[in-house]
Amino acid sequence: ATMGPRIPPTRLALHHFDMSYSLQLKDLWPSARAGLLCEQKYGALLNNFCPVDHVMQELELLNATDFVSEAPKKVQRLQQGAEEAGREESGSQEGSGEGRTVIQAEMSPPLRASLSSNIKCYTFPRGDITRFRPARPDALGLLDYYLMDAASLLPVLALNVQPDEFVLDLCAAPGGKTLALLQTGVCGHLAANDVSISRTKRLYQILRSYVPKEIRETVSVTSCDGRDWGQLEGGTFHKVLVDVPCTTDRHSVMEEDNNIFHKRRTKERQLLPMLQLQLLMAGILATKPGGEVVYSTCSLSPLQNECVIE
């Protein structure tokens, strides 16, 4: 073992994904695999605590669009196309005595939520690999946007926070989703927690860089073990986001540092679904009766997603 070649954790991760995800995704796996191995494309989450009109104009001149506001328009176009196709099909079959019913698809919760959301996140079109410039401070020193994986906004949109609701981000660091929750401008109270003290420091840094002091003071930041939260503050929150630690698939195939497929972290990786289940249970216990919990990962693994929910 000492003399044998050392297989890097990124290669171990890709081999594992090739074995498991190819069975799960079948014909979709090659394109998903290519997506994991491509350089990450970021979205620019606008900071509503800054003057953003000139930033929006600048990004739109670069051909970037706000995918949050564009999503409902795309759904509407798809529905209109389906209706037109249904009418054509119905007309062509009138003479034969056959009828056809067109069922309109309801807008999914993340898209419904985006209609009333103040969140704006700009992305470049597919195939456009333009990079966003670094964020710039305004007159008060607050940065104008936050670069993040645009898909990370979907759990926040699905949470669909309503005015004055108490919200818990149970695994909050490094802070992108916490910042997005504040961009809604409707949280009555926001609690942001992460078990890692070093990652919580990163969360504090993001809040200081993007959020005015008077707003920061309404956010309670803690470094507790999220699994104990139900015992600490049970039945307190209207909405709870449980964005759990996971294999972080893109990181696992692209980065050697802190890679969960490193051999010394094998046991930790195997225990992930149990940790995720415990965090989800704590999130449920922290929720008021009638409240809502969103569970999310950045992994394709059914063991970390569907199986945990079941």
Side-chain angles (χ1 to χ4, degrees):
T2 304
M3 301 299 293
R6 293 183 178 179
I7 301 174
T10 50
R11 195 189 305 173
L12 281 175
L14 189 57
H15 175 71
H16 175 80
F17 296 158
D18 280 333
M19 296 292 289
S20 56
Y21 292 165
S22 60
L23 297 175
Q24 171 195 344
L25 298 175
K26 299 183 173 60
D27 293 343
L28 294 175
W29 171 234
S31 59
R33 187 183 196 271
L36 285 178
L37 292 171
C38 284
E39 184 177 348
Q40 187 170 5
K41 279 188 68 172
Y42 287 97
L45 172 68
L46 292 197
N47 186 6
N48 292 325
F49 301 114
C50 293
V52 293
D53 287 347
H54 71 284
V55 182
M56 293 168 60
Q57 292 172 3
E58 176 190 344
L59 294 176
E60 287 165 5
L61 285 172
L62 294 172
N63 201 31
T65 56
D66 173 22
F67 88 88
V68 181
S69 62
E70 283 296 314
K73 298 175 187 176
K74 288 184 178 180
V75 170
Q76 191 173 19
R77 287 197 293 269
L78 288 171
Q79 289 176 341
Q80 289 172 348
E83 289 172 7
E84 291 172 4
R87 284 195 293 270
E88 291 174 5
E89 183 72 17
S90 178
S92 68
Q93 301 209 7
E94 280 179 0
S96 63
E98 296 179 8
R100 181 179 179 89
T101 302
V102 178
I103 301 174
Q104 293 187 25
E106 287 192 10
M107 198 178 291
S108 64
L111 300 184
R112 263 206 316 272
S114 71
L115 292 175
S116 59
S117 172
N118 294 318
I119 294 174
K120 297 179 181 64
C121 185
Y122 279 77
T123 56
F124 291 108
R126 178 177 293 183
D128 185 340
I129 57 172
T130 304
R131 290 171 178 257
F132 290 100
R133 61 160 174 79
R136 296 172 185 154
D138 68 358
L140 298 177
L142 299 178
L143 298 177
D144 52 9
Y145 56 61
Y146 177 76
L147 296 181
M148 64 188 301
D149 188 325
S152 295
L153 278 182
L154 298 180
V156 175
L157 294 173
L159 205 60
N160 195 16
V161 179
Q162 299 300 305
D164 300 323
E165 286 187 328
F166 280 41
V167 182
L168 168 63
D169 188 354
L170 190 60
C171 308
K177 294 182 181 68
T178 303
L179 180 60
L181 286 165
L182 288 172
Q183 298 304 314
T184 64
V186 297
C187 295
H189 173 70
L190 177 60
N193 176 74
D194 198 275
V195 67
S196 168
I197 294 176
S198 61
R199 284 165 59 86
T200 304
K201 288 180 180 177
R202 169 68 176 150
L203 171 59
Y204 273 117
Q205 180 183 343
I206 286 177
L207 292 177
R208 284 194 297 269
S209 299
Y210 289 89
V211 182
K213 183 178 180 182
E214 62 271 18
I215 304 295
R216 290 202 306 269
E217 290 174 349
T218 69
V219 182
S220 59
V221 179
T222 53
S223 295
C224 305
D225 187 331
R227 292 173 291 185
D228 300 330
W229 196 276
Q231 302 169 16
L232 296 172
E233 290 190 54
T236 306
F237 298 92
H238 300 95
K239 301 286 174 66
V240 176
L241 175 59
V242 186
D243 184 58
V244 294
C246 64
T247 48
T248 320
D249 293 353
R250 181 193 293 276
H251 179 89
S252 293
V253 297
M254 296 290 280
E255 302 288 341
E256 299 290 337
D257 292 340
N258 199 31
N259 194 312
I260 200 165
F261 279 85
H262 195 286
K263 287 191 176 296
R264 67 172 177 268
R265 300 183 70 184
T266 300
K267 191 68 175 178
E268 179 186 351
R269 189 174 74 249
Q270 292 171 342
L271 291 174
L272 268 178
M274 180 55 67
L275 170 64
Q276 293 161 343
L277 175 61
Q278 291 169 333
L279 288 167
L280 176 56
M281 290 299 295
I284 292 170
L285 291 172
T287 310
K288 288 176 178 286
E292 297 181 13
V293 178
V294 169
Y295 172 86
S296 61
T297 76
C298 41
S299 169
L300 296 170
S301 168
L303 286 175
Q304 299 175 63
N305 291 296
E306 294 90 334
C307 292
V308 170
I309 299 299
E310 290 168 7

